[in-house]
Amino acid sequence: MSKEKLIGPNYMDWMRNLNMTPRYEGKQHVLEKPLVEIDHSTVTPEEIASFNKHSDDVTKVACIMVANMAPELPKFYEDYWTHEMTLDLARKFDKKARQERFEVVKSLMACKLKEGESVCPHIPKMKRYVKQLQRLNVSFDEELAVEMVLNYLPPSYDQFILTYHLNNTEMTFTQFHNLLQAVESGMKKNHAHSATSTHVLAIGSEKGKKRKAHS
């Protein structure tokens, strides 16, 4: 927690770390359940003991939360219980995170490679969007990222996509990027060779033709 204090934009990462901290200590319930005051004169000793433990846990976790916020935030939460603090932080920062997720997903879905464009700048751009989604607490593994890239390739890559799936290939995103660059390079060489051959054939077909005499 001390490595990354809450400043606002890092809310999702901070909350992920926060959820792990009380879980390790067996106190995650204080983030999920509010502390309800009890009338000590009408409850059993067991209920009083349970309340006191809950209150003690809430105080400890609240102190951890406030201590790991940017300097301008603790003054707003000094008197908050843990559950109420969690709800208020979500109201302030989670909405921004959801909007950011929407914008990143929208940009990622628009990353369709057009015929003739190079994969060199295209794949790193998609990788940046994937990393942004992971930072925003979206579960997005490398296998899914590769499948999305395959889905957004133009028709000229259909044979490569078919071969990739038939081989049941498993590789990291970086390895996949390198493979795709090699495939693109090979396709360009084949295209250049085909164009040269066609040109030679066209020239060769002109040989042997006799010019017609003018009448």
Side-chain angles (χ1 to χ4, degrees):
M1 289 289 293
S2 60
K3 291 181 180 179
E4 185 171 13
K5 292 185 180 295
L6 176 64
I7 57 175
N10 65 336
Y11 168 75
M12 299 300 294
D13 286 336
W14 188 82
M15 277 302 301
R16 189 186 302 112
N17 291 334
L18 174 64
N19 283 322
M20 292 302 296
T21 304
R23 185 186 303 173
Y24 178 77
E25 296 289 343
K27 305 181 189 301
Q28 192 174 8
H29 62 280
V30 303
L31 297 174
E32 303 164 352
K33 297 178 181 179
L35 179 64
V36 181
E37 295 289 344
I38 61 174
D39 184 353
H40 285 64
S41 62
T42 60
V43 295
T44 64
E46 290 78 11
E47 289 174 321
I48 293 175
S50 178
F51 172 81
N52 289 339
K53 184 181 185 307
H54 192 178
S55 177
D56 186 52
D57 291 345
V58 164
T59 301
K60 290 177 180 178
V61 176
C63 288
I64 292 174
M65 292 173 70
V66 172
N68 289 284
M69 293 180 180
E72 66 275 9
L73 290 175
K75 60 184 178 182
F76 296 107
Y77 297 108
E78 290 177 349
D79 298 325
Y80 275 66
W81 292 122
T82 307
H83 181 67
E84 288 73 18
M85 195 188 312
T86 303
L87 293 178
D88 193 67
L89 288 171
R91 280 192 293 268
K92 286 182 178 178
F93 301 118
D94 191 41
K95 184 177 179 181
K96 294 180 181 178
R98 288 199 305 271
Q99 181 63 30
E100 187 177 352
R101 283 198 299 269
F102 171 77
E103 295 297 336
V104 175
V105 169
K106 183 179 177 181
S107 298
L108 181 60
M109 298 296 287
C111 282
K112 191 170 182 65
L113 186 67
K114 295 180 181 178
E115 200 69 72
E117 289 183 343
S118 174
V119 298
C120 292
H122 177 73
I123 304 303
K125 181 169 66 174
M126 291 193 72
K127 189 174 183 179
R128 286 195 299 271
Y129 289 140
V130 170
K131 285 187 175 295
Q132 282 182 268
L133 291 175
Q134 290 173 334
R135 180 178 59 80
L136 292 167
N137 207 27
V138 177
S139 180
F140 212 112
D141 59 19
E142 290 195 330
E143 185 177 355
L144 178 57
V146 168
E147 290 296 337
M148 288 198 69
V149 173
L150 290 171
N151 187 57
Y152 291 156
L153 292 174
S156 57
Y157 286 84
D158 285 352
Q159 184 58 49
F160 163 71
I161 296 171
L162 178 62
T163 304
Y164 183 88
H165 284 135
L166 286 176
N167 290 337
N168 197 25
T169 311
E170 291 186 7
M171 56 182 64
T172 66
F173 199 87
T174 301
Q175 291 172 329
F176 176 74
H177 184 197
N178 294 335
L179 172 63
L180 206 53
Q181 284 181 303
V183 170
E184 180 187 52
S185 178
M187 289 170 63
K188 286 181 178 179
K189 288 180 181 179
N190 290 337
H191 179 73
H193 177 72
S194 176
T196 303
S197 299
T198 302
H199 184 62
V200 170
L201 288 173
I203 294 173
S205 64
E206 294 294 328
K207 293 180 179 180
K209 286 187 177 180
K210 295 182 179 179
R211 293 187 178 182
K212 293 182 180 179
H214 290 289
S215 59

